[in-house]
Amino acid sequence: MGNFGDYQYQFYKAGVLNKTSPFPFTFAEWEHRARENMNPLIYGYVKGGAGDEETQDINVTELRRYGLTPRMLRDRSDRDMSVTFLDRKLPSPVFLCPVGVLGNIRPEGDLEEARVCAELDLVGMYSTLSSATIEEVAEARGESFGIFQLYPTADEKLTESLVKRAEKAGFDAIAVTVDYGTVGWRPRDLSHGFMPMLRGDCIANYTSDPRFRELAGVTSEKDLDPVHAGAVWMDVFANPAFTWDDLGWLRQITELPLIVKGICLPDDAAHAKQLGVDVIACSNHGGRQANGGVPAICHLEQVIEAVGDLPVTFDSGIRDGVDVLRACGLGAALVGIGRPYAYGLAVGGRDGLRTVVSQILAEADLTMAVDCYTELSQLAVERLD
């Protein structure tokens, strides 16, 4: 296998023939093109964050306060961006974060995410809020590493049913999101009165579940009116009473590796480790849930220190390949992207999604080459005060 950065040469070669890429090359351009392509309600849902979006924005800008120190005169002919995560060797540290409206962005959006993960051997973290079922996503992802992202519901039997379905479908891990006890204050969505799930969209994992149908008072999925399904979903989706005791219960009902997503406080990370979780996901939900918070990247090193040898993944504010290196240099085991690939999907479907990921991997690899880093473990990252 060559270096990820070799991806760029095709564009220079095409330029000789006066041909250029149909796709952009920067996050800002992807976002602009996506806005032109998307339904304004869906764009607002993907683009939007909590409150005035200060936390969402500083997640991004704070990452820019960390820089790589170049080192020279070393052989950088080949670079190795591979990592080992939960005993699985992976070609890169990049994973795709759960995004709950992929099926509204493009038909089969959730499956397209899984198919790209299969093509590129990426880790995919697949949202509970999906237009495709757990089982359909599992089939589409092939042999790639699959993580089922779980929102613990207000109904314990439904939560357990979702976990057992993920196990049976062959997922490699469960990621329980703990920063969603209720929907945050999101002015963009409020101004549109838009929550797609209330219209019956992106809740295939619920409507396909026997326990959910029992709660809805029907025996067959075809008997579920979308609006009625959305109303039942609203009643059970969030669980503001989910506590450490419930996390312990979740640890007991599954033998799959358990990831706790949404941890920023070192004491919380340490407590989760004591309960037997396998991975900590340092994240503030990309600034979508709560405004007024400390940028997520500022928590990463302290969370890593609090859990010792336990892997810590990171997401929130990652926009390009250099951001991936920044987080890896601070110790992240994996680094997640969300909005970038969602915009790629909006602009170009599966090809657009694949292109965004390929660009991020190429930029990371080429930055390592220019700075004479041949392995992620060599990265030297400093804060620019």
Side-chain angles (χ1 to χ4, degrees):
M1 178 180 174
N3 296 302
F4 286 116
D6 296 345
Y7 174 80
Q8 71 171 342
Y9 296 133
Q10 63 184 297
F11 303 106
Y12 293 119
K13 292 176 181 177
V16 175
L17 302 176
N18 296 317
K19 296 179 180 180
T20 57
S21 171
F23 295 127
F25 289 90
T26 67
F27 175 79
E29 291 175 292
W30 281 106
E31 185 173 60
H32 176 74
R33 290 271 296 275
R35 184 172 187 174
E36 293 178 333
N37 282 27
M38 295 171 74
N39 178 312
L41 277 66
I42 302 299
Y43 175 77
Y45 191 91
V46 175
K47 165 70 173 176
D52 66 2
E53 300 179 354
E54 177 191 20
T55 297
Q56 175 177 285
D57 293 341
I58 62 174
N59 275 342
V60 176
T61 57
E62 192 67 18
L63 271 159
R64 270 55 178 179
R65 296 182 63 83
Y66 292 85
L68 295 160
T69 302
R71 53 184 212 164
M72 293 296 123
L73 296 173
R74 293 165 173 84
D75 183 358
R76 56 304 223 354
S77 304
D78 296 299
R79 283 82 61 194
D80 180 5
M81 288 178 57
S82 68
V83 297
T84 299
F85 179 73
L86 295 177
D87 298 323
R88 175 80 168 263
K89 182 74 175 291
L90 303 164
S92 85
V94 172
F95 76 93
L96 301 191
C97 291
V99 176
V101 290
L102 296 181
N104 274 1
I105 295 173
R106 286 270 182 160
E108 296 197 351
D110 302 281
L111 299 179
E112 298 291 38
E113 175 196 2
R115 290 163 184 154
V116 169
C117 286
E119 290 177 34
L120 301 181
D121 195 13
L122 290 173
V123 174
M125 188 179 287
Y126 301 98
S127 179
T128 310
L129 299 175
S130 173
S131 295
T133 66
I134 295 169
E135 295 78 12
E136 291 167 339
V137 168
E139 182 178 359
R141 71 176 179 84
E143 298 300 317
S144 62
F145 196 97
I147 303 169
F148 177 65
Q149 177 266 329
L150 171 73
Y151 286 113
T153 74
D155 183 83
E156 189 175 271
K157 291 181 179 179
L158 177 57
T159 300
E160 184 169 5
S161 178
L162 292 169
V163 169
K164 295 305 179 183
R165 287 173 62 192
E167 289 180 339
K168 186 176 180 180
F171 278 88
D172 299 293
I174 301 283
V176 55
T177 296
V178 296
D179 58 3
Y180 209 114
T182 186
V183 179
W185 182 254
R186 299 176 183 172
R188 289 182 192 254
D189 298 334
L190 290 165
S191 67
H192 292 139
F194 183 66
M195 183 176 288
M197 289 66 72
L198 293 183
R199 305 177 185 208
D201 293 337
C202 307
I203 56 173
N205 282 324
Y206 298 87
T207 58
S208 62
D209 194 281
R211 175 56 181 170
F212 182 85
R213 294 198 295 268
E214 181 182 349
L215 294 170
V218 300
T219 57
S220 172
E221 188 171 355
K222 63 181 175 61
D223 296 328
L224 264 178
D225 174 78
V227 175
H228 176 56
V232 176
W233 171 86
M234 189 66 170
D235 285 341
V236 300
F237 171 63
N239 183 2
F242 191 84
T243 68
W244 292 109
D245 288 341
D246 298 293
L247 183 62
W249 166 78
L250 188 61
R251 173 67 288 176
Q252 292 174 2
I253 68 167
T254 180
E255 295 183 357
L256 287 178
L258 184 61
I259 302 167
V260 180
K261 188 176 188 302
I263 297 294
C264 292
L265 186 68
D267 285 350
D268 284 350
H271 194 171
K273 181 180 180 180
Q274 290 174 353
L275 290 176
V277 306
D278 300 279
V279 179
I280 302 295
C282 181
S283 166
N284 64 13
H285 218 104
R288 285 184 56 76
Q289 272 297 89
N291 201 31
V294 175
I297 193 66
C298 296
H299 300 293
L300 179 58
E301 290 180 282
Q302 293 177 331
V303 167
I304 291 171
E305 183 178 357
V307 297
D309 59 354
L310 210 65
V312 176
T313 69
F314 178 80
D315 68 79
S316 296
I318 301 295
R319 296 291 181 263
D320 56 34
V322 178
D323 285 343
V324 171
L325 297 184
R326 289 177 170 119
C328 286
L330 294 175
L334 295 180
V335 181
I337 59 172
R339 288 182 180 89
Y341 87 81
Y343 291 147
L345 179 68
V347 172
R350 191 197 309 184
D351 287 344
L353 197 165
R354 184 195 308 108
T355 297
V356 165
V357 176
S358 297
Q359 290 178 358
I360 287 173
L361 291 171
E363 183 184 24
D365 174 61
L366 291 169
T367 302
M368 289 178 64
V370 172
D371 288 350
C372 283
Y373 293 111
T374 58
E375 297 178 357
L376 294 174
S377 62
Q378 298 169 351
L379 294 172
V381 175
E382 299 180 26
R383 183 175 171 82
L384 312 175
D385 291 320

